[in-house]
Amino acid sequence: MGMQANAHIVWDWNGTLFHDNDAIIGATNAAFAELGLKAITMEEYRTLYCVPVPKFYERLLGRLPTDAEWEVMDDTFHRYYAEHRVVCGLTEGAADLLAGWRTAGRSQSILSMYVHDELVPLVREFGIEPHFIRVDGRTGPSGGSKAEHMVRHLEALADVEPARTVVIGDAADDAVAALHVGARAVLYTGGSHSRASLEVVGVPVVDSLAEAVAEAERLAS
C-alpha cells in the first residue's frame, strides 16, 4: 500500500532537526562544574544520558541531586546553552526533507522539551515554520518525560491519527512518548543517545534523517 496523505510525523527538535550537540555537551559540563563534577566527553554523554534528566545526573553523582542542586544545575545548563546555541544549525538535509514531506501533501509538527517561547522564534529563524501544522515546546518545569506532552500535542492536532503518526527523535524517551499515545517511532543516532542505548527500545534506529523519513513512510503506509 502506498503512503496516504494523512500520515504525520512528529519531529523532535534538539539533537534531531537541530544539530546542537556541541552546545549540549558544553552546557552539561558547565552544569557539572557547579557541583565539582569532572567534564565528560560527547561519547560518555551519549552512553549515560537518560530521561528524566535528574536520573542522568544520578548516574554521575551516585545519587539524585537535591532540589537546590538541581535548580543550580538546570539554571546553569540553560544559561550556557542559550549563549552557545547561536552557532548551531539544522541537521544536514533537514530543510529539504521537511519541504519534501510537505510537498507530498503530508503533515508534520514539532514537539520539543525545549522552552516553548525560545523554540518558536528559533524555528522561525531557520525559515522552516511553514512546514509544520504545530510547533510545541515545553511550558512547564524541565526534567520530565515527553509522554504526557505528546498526549496534549496530538489532541491539539485536527485529523491526525496516532496510528498514522511516526515520532522521529534522538532519545529513548521519544519512543516511549510515541508508544504512550499509540504512535510509531524512529530513533536517530546523531543526537543525545548512542546506537546501543537506542536499540534496546525495540524501534527502528537509523543513522540519518533521510533514513528516518524513509522508515516513517514505511511505518505509516
Side-chain angles (χ1 to χ4, degrees), residues 2-63:
M3 193 66 173
Q4 301 298 314
N6 62 347
H8 183 81
I9 290 176
V10 177
W11 291 94
D12 174 55
W13 180 248
N14 301 97
T16 304
L17 288 176
F18 189 45
H19 187 67
D20 59 351
N21 288 357
D22 288 344
I24 289 287
I25 191 63
T28 297
N29 282 328
F32 285 174
E34 293 291 332
L35 267 64
L37 295 172
K38 68 175 184 178
I40 62 173
T41 65
M42 191 67 210
E43 182 178 356
E44 289 171 326
Y45 177 90
R46 283 161 48 82
T47 299
L48 295 170
Y49 181 73
C50 64
V51 174
V53 178
K55 297 292 288 184
F56 168 52
Y57 291 151
E58 181 182 25
R59 292 181 174 185
L60 294 132
L61 281 170
R63 58 174 176 81

Side-chain angles (χ1 to χ4, degrees), residues 80-128:
Y80 182 101
Y81 180 84
E83 294 172 358
H84 291 79
R85 68 160 176 79
V86 294
V87 299
C88 301
L90 294 178
T91 300
E92 182 178 0
D96 289 339
L97 291 167
L98 295 172
W101 188 266
R102 181 189 179 200
T103 299
R106 305 159 189 161
S107 63
Q108 55 199 331
S109 59
I110 292 176
L111 175 61
S112 173
M113 298 300 280
Y114 188 43
V115 180
H116 181 79
D117 289 344
E118 297 180 27
L119 172 66
V120 173
L122 186 54
V123 172
R124 191 170 295 143
E125 284 175 20
F126 283 112
I128 58 174

Side-chain angles (χ1 to χ4, degrees), residues 30-37 53-54 57-58 60-77:
F32 285 174
E34 293 291 332
L35 267 64
L37 295 172
V53 178
Y57 291 151
E58 181 182 25
L60 294 132
L61 281 170
R63 58 174 176 81
L64 283 169
T66 66
D67 290 345
E69 289 172 336
W70 165 252
E71 185 174 345
V72 169
M73 295 175 79
D74 192 48
D75 179 70
T76 301
F77 178 95

Side-chain angles (χ1 to χ4, degrees), residues 140-213:
S142 62
S145 173
K146 186 179 276 189
E148 292 306 317
H149 296 270
M150 187 67 72
V151 172
R152 293 190 292 272
H153 183 73
L154 289 189
E155 286 177 347
L157 299 177
D159 302 320
V160 170
E161 303 173 18
R164 302 298 313 285
T165 297
V166 179
V167 177
I168 297 178
D170 69 315
D173 191 52
D174 292 302
V176 171
L179 297 174
H180 184 69
V181 296
R184 313 292 286 276
V186 179
L187 297 179
Y188 163 60
T189 62
S192 62
H193 280 44
S194 66
R195 171 175 277 277
S197 64
L198 294 177
E199 286 179 337
V200 301
V201 183
V203 302
V205 177
V206 299
D207 296 319
S208 71
L209 293 190
E211 292 176 274
V213 171

